[in-house]
Amino acid sequence: MTTPKQTPELTPGVEELEAQERRLVLPRFTYDDAWALGSLLVEMARERQAPVAVDIHRAGQQLFHAALPGSTPDNDVWIARKRRVVERYGSASYLVGARHRAKGTTFEASSRLDPDTYAAHGGSFPITVEGVGVIGAVTVSGLPQLQDHQMVVEALEHFLTRS
């Protein structure tokens, strides 16, 4: 009996991450949309038994938050740190980190921002509205950073097909 080979997850490059942001633009984003998107992420996490916390902020206001079994208070701290990167740079937290890595450095070394306040790790994605720009962030914390990022991207892709 042979064991199937496991292929490592390919890390998306800067161009692919930027393409995700261009593609995942919403026609609008209301309180009801925040509830629907947050609920979709919770449903996905429950199906996968993912120990995550989910958060949606718009214009400085928390519109949705849920903590699933296995998540911890540390996930809320990570959410805030990753969200601040989106708010400051207008790009996904994973993309901001990838841009620094592509230059042969790290976000922590190059940004000179307090690492207790900002984290360019995957899981926070800008909420971008057509004709308006970035108005908020949707964030997941609890999985390895690429998986946090991918969960948010997958949810936004599904959400856009429902809109």
Side-chain angles (χ1 to χ4, degrees), residues 31-148:
Y31 289 94
D32 289 338
D33 292 329
W35 179 261
L37 177 58
S39 297
L40 173 61
L41 277 160
V42 167
E43 179 183 315
M44 290 169 59
R46 282 186 174 144
E47 286 173 2
R48 300 167 189 186
Q49 297 180 339
V52 299
V54 176
D55 184 87
I56 299 175
H57 265 70
R58 182 184 70 183
Q61 182 182 20
Q62 184 178 55
L63 302 183
F64 185 95
H65 187 86
L68 279 77
S71 65
T72 70
D74 284 344
N75 295 120
D76 293 333
V77 174
W78 275 98
I79 282 171
R81 292 170 62 216
K82 294 189 281 188
R83 185 188 74 245
R84 286 187 197 107
V85 167
V86 173
E87 291 168 348
R88 184 173 185 116
Y89 292 91
S91 292
S93 54
Y94 193 72
L95 171 57
V96 172
R99 285 177 175 150
H100 284 86
R101 288 187 296 277
K103 292 177 186 173
T105 185
T106 64
F107 173 79
E108 295 76 14
S110 300
S111 71
R112 303 185 70 189
L113 295 171
D114 182 354
D116 290 335
T117 305
Y118 295 90
H121 293 258
S124 192
F125 202 92
I127 297 169
T128 306
V129 174
E130 266 176 50
V132 178
V134 176
I135 61 157
V138 52
T139 311
V140 168
S141 176
L143 302 171
Q145 66 169 327
L146 178 56
Q147 291 174 30
D148 279 348

